Amino acid sequence: MSRTKHQSADDGDIPPTQSLARHARDRRSKNRFWQKVKRHGVRAGRALLLNALTLYCAALDKETSRRARWTIYLALGYFIWPIDLLPDFLPGLGYTDDMGVLAWAMTQVALHIKPEHRNKAKQWIERWRRNRRDQGAGDD
């Protein structure tokens, strides 16, 4: 098998430039997702975080269909996008549009949501809450 100029001689192949750009974009999206969860988690509430993290786990699952992953990516993209129909800083209303979009996505991909996705999401929330308590941020 011939190697391209982007592949190394050892087992650690480096993806082509186009894949590198996509990888960087995907990494930025993941970082933005986790930043939003950390920054707005308390105000957003446990239900919204549970849906977002459950969808995130389902998107990472290789058994989730491509169509379901696209639906999830669209919903999570809306969640992390800084411009919303209802800005997140509005008291009482700010996260209702995010919750609606995530709830819609959950219904669209319900057959792809596994118990382990929800359990992993719950574990992340509990770990995050413990870390906040340990750092003196108080309980939400």
Side-chain angles (χ1 to χ4, degrees):
M1 177 165 107
S2 66
R3 297 192 186 279
T4 67
K5 67 179 182 174
H6 298 288
Q7 293 177 330
S8 62
D10 63 345
D11 196 34
D13 290 351
I14 299 173
T17 306
Q18 185 177 20
S19 294
L20 285 173
R22 185 177 331 141
H23 174 73
R25 187 174 53 249
D26 291 348
R27 189 163 184 83
R28 281 192 306 272
S29 294
K30 286 179 186 178
N31 288 341
R32 287 178 68 192
F33 173 77
W34 287 110
Q35 287 171 357
K36 178 128 185 192
V37 166
K38 289 176 185 175
R39 188 173 48 241
H40 299 283
V42 172
R43 285 186 295 163
R46 183 180 169 89
L48 184 134
L49 287 180
L50 183 59
N51 283 346
L53 291 170
T54 300
L55 288 169
Y56 183 77
C57 290
L60 296 178
D61 189 339
K62 301 256 188 254
E63 293 179 11
T64 302
S65 74
R66 178 177 281 173
R67 182 180 177 151
R69 277 196 302 253
W70 274 106
T71 300
I72 293 168
Y73 294 147
L74 288 172
L76 293 178
Y78 184 83
F79 175 65
I80 65 173
W81 191 252
I83 301 169
D84 287 353
L85 291 175
L86 295 171
D88 294 339
F89 63 81
L90 291 176
L93 294 174
Y95 292 99
T96 54
D97 60 327
D98 295 288
M99 184 54 116
V101 169
L102 293 175
W104 168 82
M106 290 287 283
T107 63
Q108 297 300 305
V109 301
L111 296 176
H112 298 280
I113 303 294
K114 299 177 184 175
E116 54 262 28
H117 299 150
R118 190 169 295 279
N119 290 337
K120 183 68 173 175
K122 287 177 183 177
Q123 289 172 2
W124 277 337
I125 290 172
E126 290 308 314
R127 187 176 327 134
W128 177 68
R129 291 179 77 198
R130 270 195 311 275
N131 288 341
R132 284 186 45 80
R133 267 195 302 271
D134 293 347
Q135 294 172 0
D139 195 11
D140 46 321

